[in-house]
């Protein structure tokens, strides 16, 4: 079992993740070509301006108005993306199988980053259950996405601390990571892929075409 | 997903009520899918697949904020209750659903684009509401009064059933009014090769003719070579854009520009209106595939800014007391004229008091986006839906609100009256005409 999930399944997951992401982006772009406005409105300068204002915390009026959400959401997303990539255990695995490696996070820091991701998931879950607007637009898929996101980190945390059933938890952890990778292109986790494009378009339309700003 | 709880006082709208009884499921399915398949593309698909249901856009919407944070008015809810269902059910929805769609898109959203600016992804909910309007229009589910203005556009090429002789009569009458300020002022009709064609919206000759007298005097003082058409094509407003009848929208915009071309003018200067600017600058040209207007289009704010900053118009006596302003979404957030508006306000007002939030972050007047044009049946909801606007103005302590947009003007007047703010609502030109210096050789 361990051999399978940590061997062929990893390959399959990455192939689906990368292939699927490319396909979804291709699908979006080719569909956008059908519209009169999308490509003629694009401008590199205004796309970048929009991105700069929305990927740097507190760099737009709205984020300044919602400090707690901004801090949680930035901390969550940064940890979510960087922890798995720079986790020592992952880097070692990669080194062992392919002989490539890169810088890794000190283990204590990675541990805290994992906790931040889990805490972020709890925060978002709490919002889903309590904020009336969010609650009204939440359905099963939203909880599922939260679970898909949280599971690799929860199991990773348990496995790292060897809290119980190490071997089983490790297998679940790897599986959870693979599920997440596969889910990214085909669920609304794809906001990770589309963020750059939707921002670039809105920024371009606001800046290039309408001579205004979107922050 | 559970249905949204919607609490509204029932509104009788003869067109919606009547047309809904005639809709068939097949017709609805066909139209919904046709519009989604043929008229939308990457944007709608990406928006729906990116929206993470976070609800951050809610804080942007004046409807939501003014109705004590009633969830059913939140921008994302408006998408949930319309497009999401249509996509999920592949168009298999009933007449009652389409009626609710029209209510949401035509009477509860001003397509003001504030929420797009508050969504972390820049998801343009206003665009999606325009798609809903388009579907409703193709199903003939448009509120009665709004549809009437569209009929007027289609039949007369102006919004208000103004007849050709009435138009010319009004201009001649207002030329005389303008001569009350500046005796040598003229309102030149059909002057080929003039520098500027001046165009206005349909309601101007109908209800606010004095604005035409004002511009006659202003043009003389600024010494502008200008003209107005004596034919159809003088109206730059476009309610068909807002009903979703883009075919009529395109006819209106095309005639407006063709009229300017026939007169061989260098540019079009338009009166103080926001939606008209949007239609002529953006929605019309993009729908027709021109992308940009064939002749430069200058909004009144830019025009007055140029006149004042270049010294063609000098200010003799600034308006007294605290005066504030309404930023029209379609020329400020969606056209970037906020700084120019503030420049001209400061130029003519002794004590200009700004609003908060202001400039592109300002709240919509709630009349824009065709929402005032859905008429009296929906007025109560519209005015209640902008309480925060009343509060915003109250905080300024101003005696007058300047609204460089016709929709804002009417919408803000309703708000001032309903919330008993006791403020005057004026167009910029009404302040300017009193403040500007009339050179000695032009004086009566
Ligand atoms: S009224 Fe404006 S802020 Fe509210 S949903 Fe419509 S476009 Fe968004
Ligand atoms: S803010 Fe954007 S992503 Fe969030 S619910 Fe609104 S439209 Fe969707």
């Amino acid at each position: 079992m361990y051999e399978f999930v940590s061997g062929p399944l990893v390959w399959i997951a990455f192939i689906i993740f990368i292939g699927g992401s490319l396909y979804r982006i291709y699908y979006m772009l080719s569909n956008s070509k059908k519209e009169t406005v999308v490509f003629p409105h694009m401008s590199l300068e205004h796309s970048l301006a929009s991105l700069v204002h929305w990927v740097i915390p507190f760099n737009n009026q709205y984020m300044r108005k919602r400090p707690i959400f901004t801090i949680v959401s930035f901390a969550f997303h940064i940890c979510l993306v960087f922890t798995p990539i720079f986790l020592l255990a992952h880097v070692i695995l990669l080194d062992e199988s392919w002989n490539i490696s890169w810088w890794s996070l000190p283990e204590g820091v990675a541990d805290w980053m994992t906790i931040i991701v889990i805490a972020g998931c709890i925060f978002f879950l709490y919002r889903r259950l309590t904020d009336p607007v969010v609650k009204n637009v939440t359905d099963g898929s939203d909880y599922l996405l939260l679970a898909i996101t949280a599971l690799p980190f929860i199991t990773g945390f348990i496995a790292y601390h060897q809290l119980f059933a190490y071997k089983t938890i490790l297998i679940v952890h790897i599986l959870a990571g693979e599920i997440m990778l596969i889910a990214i292109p085909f669920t609304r986790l794809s906001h990770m892929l589309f963020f750059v494009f939707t921002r670039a378009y809105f920024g371009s339309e606001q800046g290039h075409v309408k001579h205004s700003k979107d922050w | 997903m559970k249905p949204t709880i919607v609490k509204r006082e029932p509104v009788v709208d003869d067109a919606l009520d009547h047309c809904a009884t005639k809709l068939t499921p097949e017709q609805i399915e066909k139209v919904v899918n046709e519009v989604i398949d043929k008229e939308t593309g990457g944007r709608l698909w990406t928006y729906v697949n990116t929206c993470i249901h976070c609800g951050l856009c809610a804080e942007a919407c004046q409807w939501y904020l003014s109705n004590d944070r009633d969830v059913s008015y939140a921008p994302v809810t408006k998408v949930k209750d319309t497009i999401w269902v249509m996509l999920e059910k592949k168009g298999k929805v009933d007449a009652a659903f389409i009626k609710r769609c029209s209510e949401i898109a035509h009477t509860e959203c001003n397509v003001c684009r504030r929420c797009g600016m508050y969504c972390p992804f820049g998801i343009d909910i206003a665009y999606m509401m325009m798609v809903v309007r388009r579907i409703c229009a193709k199903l003939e589910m448009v509120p009665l009064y709004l549809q009437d203005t569209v009929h007027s556009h289609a039949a007369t090429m102006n919004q208000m059933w103004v007849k050709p002789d009435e138009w010319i009569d009004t201009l001649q009458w207002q030329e005389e009014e303008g001569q009350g300020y500046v005796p040598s002022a003229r309102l030149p009709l059909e002057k080929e090769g003039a520098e500027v064609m001046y165009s206005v919206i349909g309601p101007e000759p109908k209800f606010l003719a004095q604005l035409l007298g004002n511009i006659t005097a202003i043009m003389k003082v600024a010494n502008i070579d200008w003209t107005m058409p004596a034919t159809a094509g003088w109206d730059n407003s476009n309610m068909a854009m807002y009903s979703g009848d883009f075919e009529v929208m395109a006819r209106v915009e095309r005639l407006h520009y063709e009229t300017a071309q026939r007169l061989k003018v260098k540019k079009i200067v338009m009166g103080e209106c926001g939606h008209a600017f949007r239609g002529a600058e953006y929605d019309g040209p993009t729908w027709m595939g021109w992308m940009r207007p064939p002749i430069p289009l200058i909004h009144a704010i830019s025009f007055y800014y140029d006149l004042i900053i270049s010294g063609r118009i000098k200010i003799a006596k600034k308006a007294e007391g605290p005066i504030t302003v309404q930023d029209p979404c379609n020329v400020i957030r969606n056209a970037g004229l906020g700084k120019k508006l503030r420049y001209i306000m400061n130029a003519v007002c002794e004590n200009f008091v700004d609003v908060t939030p202001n400039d592109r972050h300002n709240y919509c007047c709630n009349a824009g986006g065709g929402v005032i044009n859905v008429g009296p049946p929906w007025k109560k909801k519209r005015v209640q839906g902008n309480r925060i606007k009343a509060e915003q103005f109250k905080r300024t302590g101003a005696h007058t609100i300047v609204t460089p947009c016709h929709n804002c003007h009417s919408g803000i007047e309703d708000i001032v009256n309903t919330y008993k703010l006791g403020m005057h609502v004026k167009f910029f030109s009404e302040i300017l005409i009193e403040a500007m210096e009339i050179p000695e050789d032009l004086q009566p």
Side-chain angles (χ1 to χ4, degrees), chain A residues 137, chain B residues 50-58 76 115 118-123 125:
Chain A
V137 290
Chain B
T50 302
C51 173
I52 199 69
H53 306 174
C54 66
L56 291 177
C57 46
V76 65
C115 46
Y118 282 58
C119 164
F121 302 95
I123 290 176
I125 285 170

Side-chain angles (χ1 to χ4, degrees), chain B residues 57-64 73-76 78 104-105 108-116 124-127 129 133 329 333 364 366 371:
Chain B
C57 46
E59 289 294 317
C61 187
Q62 69 283 352
W63 288 93
Y64 168 77
Y73 285 108
V76 65
K78 294 171 187 171
I104 293 172
E108 296 176 2
C109 171
N110 308 85
V111 289
C112 73
R113 298 177 87 251
R114 192 169 195 261
C115 46
D124 191 351
I125 285 170
Y127 158 73
M129 289 300 108
R133 289 180 182 199
C329 306
R333 169 158 51 259
C364 173
N366 236 26
V371 173

Side-chain angles (χ1 to χ4, degrees), chain A residues 32 35-42 201 205, chain B residues 43 282 286 291:
Chain A
S32 303
E35 297 196 54
T36 26
V37 295
V38 178
F39 287 101
H41 281 176
M42 293 305 282
Y201 177 72
E205 189 176 325
Chain B
R43 275 188 296 171
Y282 183 80
T286 49
M291 303 319 282

Side-chain angles (χ1 to χ4, degrees), chain A residues 65-80:
Chain A
K65 263 177 128 179
R66 308 188 69 131
I68 295 176
F69 188 90
T70 303
I71 291 168
V72 173
S73 148
F74 269 91
F76 168 80
H77 283 97
I78 290 168
C79 296
L80 179 76

Side-chain angles (χ1 to χ4, degrees), chain B residues 212-251:
Chain B
L212 289 158
N214 290 356
I215 195 71
T216 304
I218 291 170
M219 289 290 195
K220 181 69 197 178
V221 171
N223 193 21
I224 303 287
D225 175 19
W226 70 302
T227 186
M228 289 185 85
T231 60
W234 55 264
D235 184 1
N236 56 29
S237 74
N238 205 330
M239 279 304 139
M241 162 177 76
Y242 280 151
S243 79
D245 190 339
F246 299 153
E247 287 76 15
V248 172
M249 167 187 81
R251 282 179 56 211

